[in-house]
Amino acid sequence: MIHKLATELATKTKVKPGLNIHGLPHSLGKELYDLGLEREARKAVMAHESDAASKVYERDGDRSKQADMAVRALNRQHLRIGDEGT
């Protein structure tokens, strides 16, 4: 049943071909990483007890998104500090 659904979704280009049950947690973990959630939040969502389990998904994540989010956070922080001085 799951295989049939995955095949239909791939045919409609809703998901990449080859989707399977094993890939679902990896997709979720990668998405949570790409959204910028802290490791503790990702561990809670995915019911992981160890950092090692969560780190697996970081390898496939988009590091450029993480870097962009970090730079934006720094810019916001610096703007707040600048506003306090006026």
Side-chain angles (χ1 to χ4, degrees):
M1 181 170 163
I2 297 293
H3 177 72
K4 181 180 176 185
L5 175 62
T7 302
E8 288 175 14
L9 291 172
T11 301
K12 295 176 183 178
T13 66
K14 302 288 184 184
V15 299
K16 292 181 181 178
L19 175 72
N20 58 45
I21 294 293
H22 179 72
L24 292 176
H26 289 278
S27 295
L28 175 61
K30 180 189 171 303
E31 286 291 321
L32 294 173
Y33 176 79
D34 289 348
L35 288 171
L37 270 70
E38 297 291 328
R39 185 175 295 143
E40 289 302 317
R42 294 191 320 266
K43 283 170 48 179
V45 169
M46 299 193 65
H48 290 155
E49 293 184 14
S50 71
D51 284 348
S54 291
K55 285 182 181 180
V56 168
Y57 306 108
E58 293 174 13
R59 288 183 289 199
D60 296 329
D62 187 341
R63 293 185 188 275
S64 65
K65 283 185 182 180
Q66 291 289 312
D68 288 344
M69 285 187 282
V71 169
R72 284 195 301 273
L74 285 169
N75 286 337
R76 285 191 304 271
Q77 180 64 25
H78 287 283
L79 287 174
R80 275 187 289 233
I81 291 171
D83 290 343
E84 292 172 2
T86 59

